[in-house]
Amino acid sequence: MILTQIILVLFIGGFVAWRVELQRPQSAKWLSLIAIGFSLALLISFANDNHDIFYQYVKISQIPWINKFGINYAMGIDSLSFILIALTLLLGVVCVLVSWQEITDNIGFYYFNLLASLAGIVGVFSATDLFLFFFFWEVMLLPMTALIAIWGHEHRHYAAIKFFIFTQVSSLLMLLAIIVLALINQQHTGIWSFDYFELQKLTISSQTQYYLMLGFFIAFAVKLPSFPFHTWLPDAHTQAPTAGSVLLAGVLLKTGAYGLIRFVLGLFPEASLEFANIAVWLGVISILYGAKLAFAQTDFKRLVAYSSISHMGFVMLALFSFEQIAYHGALLTIVAHGLSSAALFAVAGMMYSRLHSRDLEIMGGLFSSAPVMGGMLLAFVAAAFGLPGLVNFVGEFLSLTGAFKVYPLQVVLGALGLIGSAIYGIYLFGQSFQGKVQHQIIDLTHRELLVCSSLLFLLVLFGLFPELILNHFTEYSLHTNINLITIDKLSIEVMS
């Protein structure tokens, strides 16, 4: 029940933070921080005592919920789930710290929504019943919408509505596909079931499997986001409070990647293989399109938002190449982008709190008054464009190297995105911290330095020792019972 305990600690912690605001508003921050820290401690303690999760999928709980339709409260964890839940909780701590001085209105309700969103995300990464998965998918959506709509910037209502519509419409497509899957299982076995592992055993016609796969794919491509389902992202990132941007880029986008791995590839391997060429091209377009538009931005947060579209394109390219090396590269890229994008948005929030503007055209020469902040931004920019020694480089290198065997042309085109990321990264740093001095600002506080140095430490640690992550995926590769050798044979048959 460890996963349930983590979700309850987060949700109850957020609720208590909301209620104590009436008597002691500042206590909400500490209660939220304690709740997330305790949840992270629970997860680490469980992993230390249960090493099996790194080599197989371990079912944690399965409790009957809606018996008539075979719906269970079923939770499980493996190395993929563990790493993404750990990333979620770690960035949850970052979210609280960057909100410490920024949020001054409705503090308790703000932290309730923040922790409720984290609880929903943990549920998404651990649910093994598809109905329960959809339930948590919706749980994380509503408080995230509230964070943007209530505590966002000048156009927050427009951004929140756009975010809600895009994600809700795509979620309904996924719900329809889930119901059809359960109905097919009922027709084949006479039993209603939404169990992930039972649905994996279904034999479905190629055409039906293809349409069901599209229902899941669109929902996850919107969250990733991938071209052409990306248009909600720049507005949501730009208008969200700093913690909202950190949560969106660092974790929420990763639910899309997780969904592609666990459900699209896991439930529909043959249909995914048939769709692979289209998905790979969408990944390449996302890489180049995101890099081009990032360079065209003058808004700090909007530039970083478009860069996220570009970087997540590498994940799409790698996953649908069906290559072991590329898959490991995708996993590292997911972690790397979670850390580096969270760091960039954190710095953006720190600068906004000082300048009350995100406009790069009014910045310049900030390095003279804030050298530590400038050094941190340069390091995070270097991570984003793949400087060797940082984990982003390892992830994107493995993604491209693995995919090159199957899609050489697409990989060559996608590699141009690395050049683009260097260009817009240096542009971002140059416009803000180099050139003529426009403003004098206060350098990083101790709290801000703790946030930045922690994220930089992890980027360097996993960049120099990527095996700390990769070793957990050696024996249990796709975590979805997909046999890569079988997929490789299928791909040869299809190409022939």
Side-chain angles (χ1 to χ4, degrees), residues 306-321:
Y306 275 110
S307 76
S308 294
I309 298 172
S310 181
H311 288 296
M312 296 310 289
F314 287 99
V315 175
M316 180 80 81
L317 169 61
L319 290 178
F320 281 87
S321 69

Side-chain angles (χ1 to χ4, degrees), residues 406-456:
V406 186
Y407 297 104
L409 174 61
Q410 290 89 330
V411 167
V412 170
L413 293 174
L416 297 176
L418 297 176
I419 300 173
S421 65
I423 294 173
Y424 65 68
I426 294 301
Y427 167 76
L428 173 64
F429 177 75
Q431 285 290 105
S432 55
F433 278 85
Q434 297 297 297
K436 184 180 178 180
V437 176
Q438 302 285 349
H439 302 276
Q440 296 286 328
I441 63 172
I442 301 172
D443 211 342
L444 295 180
T445 64
H446 294 303
R447 173 178 51 83
E448 294 168 337
L449 182 60
L450 174 63
V451 170
C452 292
S453 58
S454 298
L455 292 172
L456 180 58

Side-chain angles (χ1 to χ4, degrees), residues 97 99 145 167 183 188 200 203 297 302 308 321 353 366 368 388 404 433 477 484 496:
L97 292 177
S99 304
T145 304
T167 51
L183 180 61
H188 285 194
Q200 269 191 320
T203 301
Q297 305 306 310
R302 204 169 183 87
S308 294
S321 69
S353 67
L366 297 178
S368 62
F404 185 80
F433 278 85
S477 177
L484 286 174
S496 61

Side-chain angles (χ1 to χ4, degrees), residues 253-264:
L253 306 190
K254 309 309 174 286
T255 62
Y258 174 82
L260 291 175
I261 297 170
R262 184 77 75 198
F263 298 100
V264 174

